[in-house]
PDB file of all heavy atoms in Angstrom:
ATOM      1  N   GLY A1401      14.377  41.563 -35.034  1.00 93.00           N
ATOM      2  CA  GLY A1401      14.999  40.254 -34.780  1.00 93.00           C
ATOM      3  C   GLY A1401      15.774  40.227 -33.477  1.00 93.00           C
ATOM      4  O   GLY A1401      15.680  39.257 -32.709  1.00 93.00           O
ATOM      5  N   LEU A1402      16.538  41.278 -33.206  1.00 93.00           N
ATOM      6  CA  LEU A1402      17.323  41.309 -31.970  1.00 93.00           C
ATOM      7  C   LEU A1402      16.439  41.372 -30.731  1.00 93.00           C
ATOM      8  O   LEU A1402      16.737  40.709 -29.721  1.00 93.00           O
ATOM      9  CB  LEU A1402      18.293  42.491 -31.988  1.00 93.00           C
ATOM     10  CG  LEU A1402      19.490  42.354 -32.926  1.00 93.00           C
ATOM     11  CD1 LEU A1402      20.317  43.631 -32.910  1.00 93.00           C
ATOM     12  CD2 LEU A1402      20.331  41.160 -32.561  1.00 93.00           C
ATOM     13  N   ALA A1403      15.369  42.134 -30.779  1.00 94.00           N
ATOM     14  CA  ALA A1403      14.464  42.227 -29.624  1.00 94.00           C
ATOM     15  C   ALA A1403      13.799  40.874 -29.374  1.00 94.00           C
ATOM     16  O   ALA A1403      13.710  40.423 -28.219  1.00 94.00           O
ATOM     17  CB  ALA A1403      13.423  43.310 -29.852  1.00 94.00           C
ATOM     18  N   SER A1404      13.355  40.218 -30.437  1.00 94.00           N
ATOM     19  CA  SER A1404      12.718  38.901 -30.269  1.00 94.00           C
ATOM     20  C   SER A1404      13.712  37.872 -29.758  1.00 94.00           C
ATOM     21  O   SER A1404      13.391  37.072 -28.864  1.00 94.00           O
ATOM     22  CB  SER A1404      12.127  38.436 -31.602  1.00 94.00           C
ATOM     23  OG  SER A1404      11.160  39.350 -32.045  1.00 94.00           O
ATOM     24  N   LEU A1405      14.916  37.893 -30.293  1.00 94.00           N
ATOM     25  CA  LEU A1405      15.951  36.953 -29.848  1.00 94.00           C
ATOM     26  C   LEU A1405      16.339  37.205 -28.396  1.00 94.00           C
ATOM     27  O   LEU A1405      16.512  36.249 -27.627  1.00 94.00           O
ATOM     28  CB  LEU A1405      17.172  37.079 -30.761  1.00 94.00           C
ATOM     29  CG  LEU A1405      18.293  36.075 -30.513  1.00 94.00           C
ATOM     30  CD1 LEU A1405      17.807  34.666 -30.846  1.00 94.00           C
ATOM     31  CD2 LEU A1405      19.501  36.429 -31.346  1.00 94.00           C
ATOM     32  N   MET A1406      16.434  38.468 -28.004  1.00 94.00           N
ATOM     33  CA  MET A1406      16.788  38.800 -26.619  1.00 94.00           C
ATOM     34  C   MET A1406      15.739  38.259 -25.648  1.00 94.00           C
ATOM     35  O   MET A1406      16.074  37.724 -24.592  1.00 94.00           O
ATOM     36  CB  MET A1406      16.915  40.321 -26.472  1.00 94.00           C
ATOM     37  CG  MET A1406      17.302  40.781 -25.078  1.00 94.00           C
ATOM     38  SD  MET A1406      17.582  42.548 -24.944  1.00 94.00           S
ATOM     39  CE  MET A1406      16.031  43.238 -25.445  1.00 94.00           C
ATOM     40  N   VAL A1407      14.471  38.376 -26.015  1.00 94.00           N
ATOM     41  CA  VAL A1407      13.411  37.881 -25.129  1.00 94.00           C
ATOM     42  C   VAL A1407      13.410  36.354 -25.098  1.00 94.00           C
ATOM     43  O   VAL A1407      13.139  35.756 -24.056  1.00 94.00           O
ATOM     44  CB  VAL A1407      12.044  38.447 -25.575  1.00 94.00           C
ATOM     45  CG1 VAL A1407      10.901  37.759 -24.855  1.00 94.00           C
ATOM     46  CG2 VAL A1407      11.997  39.940 -25.296  1.00 94.00           C
ATOM     47  N   LEU A1408      13.721  35.712 -26.212  1.00 93.00           N
ATOM     48  CA  LEU A1408      13.739  34.245 -26.229  1.00 93.00           C
ATOM     49  C   LEU A1408      14.955  33.670 -25.498  1.00 93.00           C
ATOM     50  O   LEU A1408      14.852  32.626 -24.863  1.00 93.00           O
ATOM     51  CB  LEU A1408      13.689  33.735 -27.671  1.00 93.00           C
ATOM     52  CG  LEU A1408      12.352  33.945 -28.381  1.00 93.00           C
ATOM     53  CD1 LEU A1408      12.457  33.515 -29.834  1.00 93.00           C
ATOM     54  CD2 LEU A1408      11.227  33.220 -27.679  1.00 93.00           C
ATOM     55  N   VAL A1409      16.107  34.360 -25.565  1.00 94.00           N
ATOM     56  CA  VAL A1409      17.318  33.847 -24.902  1.00 94.00           C
ATOM     57  C   VAL A1409      17.295  34.169 -23.411  1.00 94.00           C
ATOM     58  O   VAL A1409      17.640  33.316 -22.585  1.00 94.00           O
ATOM     59  CB  VAL A1409      18.584  34.417 -25.582  1.00 94.00           C
ATOM     60  CG1 VAL A1409      19.838  34.069 -24.807  1.00 94.00           C
ATOM     61  CG2 VAL A1409      18.684  33.922 -27.013  1.00 94.00           C
ATOM     62  N   PHE A1410      16.911  35.370 -23.067  1.00 93.00           N
ATOM     63  CA  PHE A1410      16.850  35.793 -21.662  1.00 93.00           C
ATOM     64  C   PHE A1410      15.396  36.155 -21.351  1.00 93.00           C
ATOM     65  O   PHE A1410      15.030  37.337 -21.368  1.00 93.00           O
ATOM     66  CB  PHE A1410      17.746  37.006 -21.404  1.00 93.00           C
ATOM     67  CG  PHE A1410      19.149  36.845 -21.870  1.00 93.00           C
ATOM     68  CD1 PHE A1410      19.617  37.535 -22.978  1.00 93.00           C
ATOM     69  CD2 PHE A1410      20.015  35.994 -21.205  1.00 93.00           C
ATOM     70  CE1 PHE A1410      20.906  37.392 -23.405  1.00 93.00           C
ATOM     71  CE2 PHE A1410      21.311  35.849 -21.633  1.00 93.00           C
ATOM     72  CZ  PHE A1410      21.770  36.546 -22.746  1.00 93.00           C
ATOM     73  N   PRO A1411      14.546  35.175 -21.038  1.00 89.00           N
ATOM     74  CA  PRO A1411      13.099  35.394 -21.006  1.00 89.00           C
ATOM     75  C   PRO A1411      12.615  36.605 -20.211  1.00 89.00           C
ATOM     76  O   PRO A1411      12.101  37.540 -20.802  1.00 89.00           O
ATOM     77  CB  PRO A1411      12.547  34.100 -20.451  1.00 89.00           C
ATOM     78  CG  PRO A1411      13.547  33.076 -20.793  1.00 89.00           C
ATOM     79  CD  PRO A1411      14.867  33.784 -20.752  1.00 89.00           C
ATOM     80  N   LEU A1412      12.727  36.629 -18.928  1.00 90.00           N
ATOM     81  CA  LEU A1412      12.163  37.742 -18.163  1.00 90.00           C
ATOM     82  C   LEU A1412      13.044  38.981 -18.213  1.00 90.00           C
ATOM     83  O   LEU A1412      12.539  40.100 -18.361  1.00 90.00           O
ATOM     84  CB  LEU A1412      11.908  37.316 -16.723  1.00 90.00           C
ATOM     85  CG  LEU A1412      10.803  36.263 -16.547  1.00 90.00           C
ATOM     86  CD1 LEU A1412      10.677  35.861 -15.095  1.00 90.00           C
ATOM     87  CD2 LEU A1412       9.486  36.767 -17.073  1.00 90.00           C
ATOM     88  N   VAL A1413      14.335  38.807 -18.128  1.00 93.00           N
ATOM     89  CA  VAL A1413      15.256  39.940 -18.187  1.00 93.00           C
ATOM     90  C   VAL A1413      15.177  40.595 -19.570  1.00 93.00           C
ATOM     91  O   VAL A1413      15.156  41.826 -19.698  1.00 93.00           O
ATOM     92  CB  VAL A1413      16.697  39.483 -17.864  1.00 93.00           C
ATOM     93  CG1 VAL A1413      17.688  40.614 -18.038  1.00 93.00           C
ATOM     94  CG2 VAL A1413      16.769  38.930 -16.450  1.00 93.00           C
TER      95      VAL A1413
END
Side-chain angles (χ1 to χ4, degrees):
L1402 287 176
S1404 300
L1405 185 66
M1406 181 175 59
V1407 169
L1408 290 175
V1409 172
F1410 308 108
L1412 293 177
V1413 175

